[in-house]
Amino acid sequence: AQKVTQAQTEISVVEKEDVTLDCVYETRDTTYYLFWYKQPPSGELVFLIRRNSFDEQNEISGRYSWNFQKSTSSFNFTITASQVVDSAVYFCALTTWAGGTSYGKLTFGQGTILTVHP
Amino acid sequence: GAGVSQSPSNKVTEKGKDVELRCDPISGHTALYWYRQSLGQGLEFLIYFQGNSAPDKSGLPSDRFSAERTGGSVSTLTIQRTQQEDSAVYLCASSPQYYNEQFFGPGTRLTVL
């Protein structure tokens, strides 16, 4: 069975602070994909990044960066110089290849509510 | 291009009634998913369609829930004899293949009175 844990339920920061959202996953499969999604107050889930289990390179996209470490089963997300528009619920998710079954469906963490104050 | 669309955006029904929720995926996407988002349970997988393969129904919470996908495109999620615990936001997503990112629709907020 797969599991994703986002231990931080809520984070509150002041604009321009850096913030890291933690994600720890569990799976027995060797091939899997990790994702981060953003859910702003409007409610629609927005894709941010996908990473496969064979690619441990960290990635940076503007103010966003992701740190994937298989050794600790973590896929953390950092926002640099946070802005009010970053306020949202952020979800980490996992999907695995399991010999042709159960692939595709996302197992989500409980989400982290990020509030950025001006 | 057009994203995933869902209808209705809101649905209020009485306990015991049947409801149908519709999802129009992004054109050309072979994989289609239904999820449910509720306060107590977070985001839960319900069902997954991939091309012409048999759907993965492992997430359906009871036999009152069913879904179909016609012509490899539009999907309908049906909930029979609705219960108050069915109240949630039902999200549809599609992707080119299972390993790609999923694009989500705006959801249907279902309220069962």
Side-chain angles (χ1 to χ4, degrees), chain A residues 59-105:
Chain A
E59 182 157 338
I60 298 174
S61 176
R63 297 184 296 106
Y64 295 171
S65 62
W66 291 269
N67 185 327
F68 175 31
Q69 292 196 345
K70 287 179 74 170
S71 60
T72 56
S73 297
S74 65
F75 186 42
N76 296 337
F77 173 31
T78 296
I79 302 174
T80 303
S82 59
Q83 300 177 2
V84 172
V85 293
D86 296 326
S87 296
V89 183
Y90 290 86
F91 291 95
C92 182
L94 165 72
T95 190
T96 70
W97 173 262
T101 62
S102 76
Y103 50 88
K105 61 184 180 183

Side-chain angles (χ1 to χ4, degrees), chain A residues 33 35 37 39 44-45 47 50 91 97 102-106 108 110, chain B residues 33 35 37 43 45 48 56 58 91 98-102 104-106:
Chain A
Y33 297 85
F35 303 81
Y37 282 87
Q39 188 173 41
E44 196 156 337
L45 280 161
F47 165 77
R50 175 188 64 159
F91 291 95
W97 173 262
S102 76
Y103 50 88
K105 61 184 180 183
L106 291 172
F108 286 90
Q110 288 300 308
Chain B
Y33 311 79
Y35 296 88
Q37 185 173 24
L43 274 156
F45 164 79
Y48 158 57
D56 177 354
S58 60
L91 296 167
Y98 77 93
Y99 47 79
N100 296 114
E101 57 270 28
Q102 295 177 23
F104 283 79

Side-chain angles (χ1 to χ4, degrees), chain B residues 22-107:
Chain B
R22 176 187 169 105
C23 171
D24 281 272
I26 294 172
S27 178
H29 282 191
T30 61
L32 186 147
Y33 311 79
W34 284 96
Y35 296 88
R36 177 168 73 173
Q37 185 173 24
S38 58
L39 280 176
Q41 301 299 321
L43 274 156
E44 305 173 277
F45 164 79
L46 296 177
I47 188 168
Y48 158 57
F49 296 91
Q50 170 69 54
N52 296 320
S53 302
D56 177 354
K57 305 179 182 180
S58 60
L60 295 178
S62 79
D63 58 9
R64 296 185 296 105
F65 288 72
S66 63
E68 63 176 17
R69 188 178 185 190
T70 54
S73 181
V74 171
S75 177
T76 302
L77 177 69
T78 301
I79 309 173
Q80 295 179 310
R81 304 181 303 280
T82 52
Q83 303 294 312
Q84 288 182 333
E85 60 263 30
D86 299 334
S87 295
V89 176
Y90 289 82
L91 296 167
C92 176
S94 71
S95 70
Q97 292 291 338
Y98 77 93
Y99 47 79
N100 296 114
E101 57 270 28
Q102 295 177 23
F103 296 89
F104 283 79

